[in-house]
Amino acid sequence: MKCNLIAIFVVSVLLFSCSKDENKIDEVTPENAIVGSWRATEFKAADPNNSNVNLGAEILDKLNAEQCYIITFSFNSDKTVTWENGVNYLQINATPTGLDVPCPAQRDNDSGTYTYDGTTLTTVDASGTTVTVKVSIDGNTMSADAADLDIPNFDDAGDIIFEKF
């Protein structure tokens, strides 16, 4: 009888000492799926025959091949964001063998706040300028509507693809 009481006591302690929700790993939600650093790696045109879009895609391909990432974002869990953009400093040279696009040494840096609800990303920079972009995230890949971002050479119909790093 004593053994049964001890066994019941031990089982009861084990059952009630287990936590239900405290040890769960954070589930991926829109709010935390975007947290991290992202760099532009591809430009997908809505119309692959558009020469402006193809120029942007070719520029991005050439720079990425050299591990030069001209657009990066870092989204923090406290809803702050910083970004670098080297697009304004691109020097595009047409040569007989194709485009020559050196990696720009200079970049514009900015910071602000953001909200992301799973489909719409809204950033507000330090001067109060608001940008709203349609975004989708699948694991470590983020697709953003290029026209919404309004970045020269990358602002036609299509998507800029970002990879988390």
Side-chain angles (χ1 to χ4, degrees), residues 29-38 72-83 110-116 121-124 137 142 164-165:
T29 63
E31 294 81 22
N32 65 20
I34 198 166
V35 172
S37 296
W38 301 82
T72 61
F73 289 93
S74 291
F75 297 96
N76 303 306
S77 59
D78 65 356
K79 302 296 183 200
T80 59
V81 59
T82 57
W83 59 90
D110 211 341
S111 63
T113 59
Y114 75 92
T115 58
Y116 178 61
L121 170 65
T122 302
T123 60
V124 181
I137 297 176
M142 176 170 59
K164 192 180 262 191
F165 67 101

Side-chain angles (χ1 to χ4, degrees), residues 11 14 44 49 60 63 84 89 98 104 107 118 123 132 143 148:
V11 170
L14 290 175
K44 289 185 177 180
N49 296 320
L60 201 53
L63 291 171
E84 288 187 347
Y89 305 100
R107 299 183 193 296
T123 60
T132 301
S143 176
D148 290 347

Side-chain angles (χ1 to χ4, degrees), residues 83-105:
W83 59 90
E84 288 187 347
N85 182 348
V87 172
N88 292 330
Y89 305 100
L90 287 174
Q91 295 179 356
I92 305 166
N93 304 306
T95 68
T97 59
L99 284 181
D100 176 34
V101 186
C103 187

Side-chain angles (χ1 to χ4, degrees), residues 149-162:
L149 283 173
D150 195 28
I151 298 171
N153 292 316
F154 304 97
D155 59 356
D156 283 318
D159 292 320
I160 297 180
I161 308 302
F162 292 85

